[in-house]
């Protein structure tokens, strides 16, 4: 029994240090709301409500778009170059870019992302109305989408 007391003390110390490190660890960055909807008009490609899902890790952020816009042709995985522009409260914009999409069947709803961008703590980003909000290049054809509504339930606010 006497030989096990140092081991118990060591185990208790290690446990206390592990618990303290969890308490002192920095909080994970978060964006609120995590999901928002906005309507877009993409000309001959159609339009409708898109669901935008945002994530954040430090100053790196991503947005995934599930839209009501449909593709007239089947599109292979990672074949859509896309840029989503969001308006920053107080002025300016933040762009999220990428070439990420699942394989899409002809007539299927366009899904894009995650698109990557850089944010600062406190950035409040919402639909962009001063030009093209979402631009896509599919098989060399440009597709320009204008935002028709602000995001609901509200802008993305990054911590």
């Amino acid at each position: 029994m006497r030989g096990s007391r140092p081991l118990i003390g060591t185990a208790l110390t290690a446990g206390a240090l592990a618990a303290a490190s969890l308490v002192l660890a920095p909080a994970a960055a978060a964006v609120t709301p995590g999901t928002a909807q906005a309507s877009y008009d993409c000309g001959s490609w159609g339009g409708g409500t898109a669901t935008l899902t945002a994530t954040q890790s430090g100053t790196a952020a991503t947005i995934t778009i599930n839209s009501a816009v449909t593709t007239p042709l089947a599109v292979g995985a990672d074949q859509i170059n896309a840029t989503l522009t969001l308006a920053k409260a107080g002025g300016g914009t933040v762009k999220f870019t990428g070439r990420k999409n699942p394989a899409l069947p002809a007539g299927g709803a366009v899904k894009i992302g995650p698109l990557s961008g850089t944010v600062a703590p406190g950035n409040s980003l919402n639909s962009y109305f001063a030009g093209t909000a979402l631009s896509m290049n599919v098989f060399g054809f440009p597709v320009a989408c204008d935002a028709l509504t602000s995001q609901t339930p509200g802008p993305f606010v990054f911590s």
Side-chain angles (χ1 to χ4, degrees):
M1 262 318 190
R2 281 188 185 217
S4 65
R5 280 191 180 176
L7 292 176
I8 292 171
T10 302
L12 289 174
T13 301
L17 287 173
S21 68
L22 288 175
V23 170
L24 298 175
V31 56
T32 54
T35 301
Q37 286 78 36
S39 292
Y40 293 89
D41 176 6
C42 299
S44 63
W45 279 62
T49 300
T51 300
L52 306 147
T53 303
T55 63
Q56 178 185 5
S57 178
T59 60
T62 63
I63 295 182
T64 302
I65 304 167
N66 289 313
S67 73
V69 174
T70 59
T71 175
L73 304 169
V75 178
D78 302 333
Q79 296 299 306
I80 299 175
N81 282 317
T83 299
L84 174 67
T85 303
L86 293 176
K88 194 169 20 168
T93 61
V94 175
K95 293 185 183 290
F96 292 83
T97 61
R99 185 181 180 128
K100 268 323 246 178
N101 64 277
L104 303 169
V110 174
K111 296 177 182 179
I112 306 167
L115 303 176
S116 301
T118 303
V119 296
N123 276 165
S124 177
L125 306 179
N126 204 338
S127 297
Y128 177 69
F129 294 105
T132 300
L134 173 63
S135 63
M136 299 178 281
N137 191 304
V138 185
F139 301 128
F141 295 102
V143 179
C145 303
D146 294 327
L148 300 176
T149 64
S150 293
Q151 291 168 204
T152 301
F156 292 125
V157 179
F158 295 86
S159 62

